[in-house]
Amino acid sequence: MVYLDHAASTAPFPEVLDAMLPWFQPCHIGNPSSIHSQGVSARHAIEKAREQVAQMIGADPSEIFFTSGGTEANNAWFRCLTKHIVLTDEIEHHSISEPLKNACVCPLPVVMKYARVWSDGSVDMDDLERLIIENKKALGAVSVMWVNNELGTVNPIKEIGTLCKKYDVPFHTDAVAAAGHVPIDVHAYNVDFLSLSGHKFGAPQGIGVLYISNLIRKEPWVYGGGQERGLRGGTENVPGIVGIGKAAEIVTKRLPRQMAQWAHLRDVFLNELSVEMDGEFHINGDTDRRSSAIISLTLPGVNSESLLLLLDQQDIYLSAGSACSASDATTSHVLRGIGLSEESVACTVRISMGFDTTDDEMRQAAQGVASAAHRLKAMYS
Ligand code: PMP
C-alpha cells in the first residue's frame, strides 16, 4: 500500500499510542476534576501535555486550550472578537469562513473582507496592509493560515504578525497544516490565536488545540463545568490530550531532519515523474516557501477523480483537494482561488507525505500516476 494522503490524516506515532494506552485502563480512568489521586494524576497528565504543546509553538502553557480538533479551534477564537470586521483571504479552510455565517458562533454580526492572494497561494501583503488601514476602526482581527493544506504554500507569518502589531490588530492563524512541518514561534511572530489539529502531526483524530495569547481577553465557547480554565466546559479527553502532547514533543525533535527528508522525497517523486511524463504536468504553489510535504499536481487532460479511482485499485491513495471538502460537489475553492481554470482544477491531485514516507513509496506513486494518466489519456483519445 502507498498512502500519500497524510495532509488529510496521518497515523499516530507508535510512541503516542504507547503514551495514550494507560489512560484507557481502569487504573487510570479518573476524571481530571476529581480530587482523589486518580483524578490528580489525570490532571497532571493534562498539564504535562499542555507544556509539550506550548513548547512546540513557543507559547506559555497557560495559553494552550485543548479542543476536539482544528474546526473547533477555528470556530472558538471568534468569541473573543471585540470589533466586527475580520480580514482574511478566500483560500482558507471552510472552518474559518463557515462559522462567521452563523450567528451563534460570534457575539457580533461579523463582516469578512478578503485580501488578494498571489497565484502561488500566499497572501498579498500590500493588499492586506491596505485593507487593515481602510478598516482600522472596526477591525476585529486578521486571520491567515500558516500553511495551505492543498498547496503546501507557507504564508509570510512573521511579516503578517509584524503588520498586525504595527496596527494593533489581533492575529489568528490556522496552523493545522503547519504543525510538525515548519518551525512555529507564536511569541516571536506576534501571533494572538493559533489553531492545531492532532491528526495532522502524529496524534489521533478528535483532539486539537487553540492557543490564545495571554494579551487577549478570553471568552468561553463551551459552557458547562468550567474546564479548560472556564473556556471549554466538559470532561477532558485525557488519552487524546496525552497523545497530542507526546506528538508535539516528537515532531519538535524531528523537525529539521524531517523538513530535509520531505524536500528529498519531493525531489524523488518529481524526478521519477519527469522521467515518465516530462512536460505533461505542472506543480501548483510556491517553490520557495512551500512546505515540501505537500505536492499539488495538475495533469492537463487527466480527470483527477478517474485517476484517483485507478490508483485506488493499485493500492495507491492520493486525494483531490482536501479531504474535508471531498464530499462536496463543488470543486476546490483553493485551486479556483489561485486562478486555476475549472478544467485545471478537475485535473489536480494532492500528494501529501507523512512522517515515515519512503523513497520507494514516492517512486511507486510517481510510476502509478504516470501509468494511470497515460491509460486515461489513451481512453479519451
Ligand atoms: N484547517 C485546515 C487547514 C485543515 O486542513 C483542516 C482539516 N482538513 C482543518 C482546519 C479542520 O481540522 P479538523 O479536521 O481537526 O477539525
Side-chain angles (χ1 to χ4, degrees):
M1 177 181 91
V2 177
Y3 177 84
L4 289 172
D5 194 14
H6 294 272
S9 201
T10 196
F13 291 114
E15 301 93 313
V16 165
L17 295 176
D18 287 346
M20 290 172 66
L21 195 60
W23 299 97
F24 288 108
Q25 288 167 356
C27 56
H28 271 99
I29 211 68
N31 186 312
S33 298
S34 300
I35 58 169
H36 51 61
S37 53
Q38 288 300 312
V40 171
S41 77
R43 166 70 40 216
H44 284 157
I46 290 177
E47 296 318 317
K48 179 178 170 194
R50 212 183 295 283
E51 282 169 22
Q52 289 164 316
V53 172
Q55 206 160 16
M56 174 175 72
I57 63 167
D60 188 83
S62 62
E63 298 172 309
I64 303 297
F65 300 89
F66 293 108
T67 67
S68 61
T71 299
E72 182 185 326
N74 279 347
N75 275 245
W77 71 275
F78 292 126
R79 305 283 310 172
C80 303
L81 289 178
T82 54
K83 294 182 189 168
H84 75 280
I85 294 178
V86 174
L87 277 187
T88 182
D89 59 78
E90 286 185 291
I91 62 169
E92 295 289 313
H93 190 261
H94 289 302
S95 54
I96 289 293
S97 49
E98 290 305 308
L100 290 180
K101 298 178 191 157
N102 192 328
C104 70
V105 177
C106 284
L108 303 165
V110 170
V111 174
M112 291 183 97
K113 298 203 175 179
Y114 301 97
R116 272 197 304 263
V117 289
W118 298 109
S119 58
D120 66 8
S122 63
V123 71
D124 177 338
M125 292 298 291
D126 290 339
D127 200 42
L128 188 66
E129 183 162 17
R130 179 186 66 78
L131 283 167
I132 292 177
I133 295 168
E134 233 172 58
N135 295 283
K136 179 75 185 78
K137 271 203 187 124
L139 194 52
V142 165
S143 180
V144 176
M145 72 205 308
W146 200 305
V147 173
N148 187 284
N149 57 308
E150 291 190 37
L151 300 166
T153 297
V154 185
N155 265 308
I157 294 300
K158 193 171 187 185
E159 287 87 331
I160 301 172
T162 305
L163 200 63
C164 289
K165 190 167 184 207
K166 177 174 163 195
Y167 293 101
D168 197 22
V169 184
F171 174 32
H172 168 263
T173 181
D174 175 348
V176 164
H181 292 73
V182 294
I184 296 180
D185 190 335
V186 285
H187 289 170
Y189 290 8
N190 298 308
V191 174
D192 297 296
F193 303 96
L194 174 139
S195 306
L196 298 173
S197 175
H199 67 278
K200 314 292 181 168
F201 66 95
Q205 295 163 344
I207 183 74
V209 164
L210 177 62
Y211 148 85
I212 312 178
S213 157
N214 277 337
L215 303 172
I216 296 283
R217 199 173 60 89
K218 301 171 181 67
E219 291 293 335
W221 61 93
V222 179
Y223 294 86
Q227 286 87 346
E228 291 299 277
R229 292 193 308 294
L231 299 194
R232 185 189 193 259
T235 301
E236 297 89 337
N237 168 3
V238 181
I241 290 173
V242 168
I244 201 170
K246 189 71 191 171
E249 184 189 292
I250 294 170
V251 295
T252 303
K253 278 197 202 121
R254 285 175 67 143
L255 187 64
R257 185 163 45 91
Q258 192 67 62
M259 287 175 74
Q261 174 67 359
W262 279 323
H264 161 75
L265 290 171
R266 179 188 171 77
D267 289 345
V268 169
F269 179 84
L270 293 176
N271 289 341
E272 190 69 31
L273 198 67
S274 299
V275 170
E276 303 287 337
M277 46 187 329
D278 196 20
E280 294 181 77
F281 65 91
H282 58 87
I283 303 297
N284 306 302
D286 161 42
T287 39
D288 296 332
R289 284 195 299 248
R290 181 183 292 126
S291 152
S292 48
I294 295 175
I295 303 172
S296 173
L297 177 73
T298 301
L299 299 151
V302 179
N303 178 273
S304 60
E305 267 182 40
S306 313
L307 183 76
L308 294 185
L309 291 176
L310 276 185
L311 290 172
D312 196 288
Q313 287 167 8
Q314 297 172 47
D315 252 358
I316 298 175
Y317 305 102
L318 313 181
S319 81
S322 73
C324 339
S325 55
S327 56
D328 191 336
T330 58
T331 54
S332 162
H333 69 290
V334 173
L335 299 174
R336 277 186 283 116
I338 59 165
L340 257 63
S341 64
E342 283 299 333
E343 205 182 327
S344 292
V345 173
C347 297
T348 300
V349 292
R350 177 182 70 179
I351 294 107
S352 53
M353 297 164 248
F355 294 91
D356 294 314
T357 299
T358 62
D359 288 26
D360 201 41
E361 285 176 302
M362 295 309 278
R363 264 187 229 104
Q364 276 187 57
Q367 286 159 8
V369 165
S371 71
H374 287 147
R375 229 174 105 189
L376 288 170
K377 281 185 175 182
M379 276 162 63
Y380 302 145
S381 62

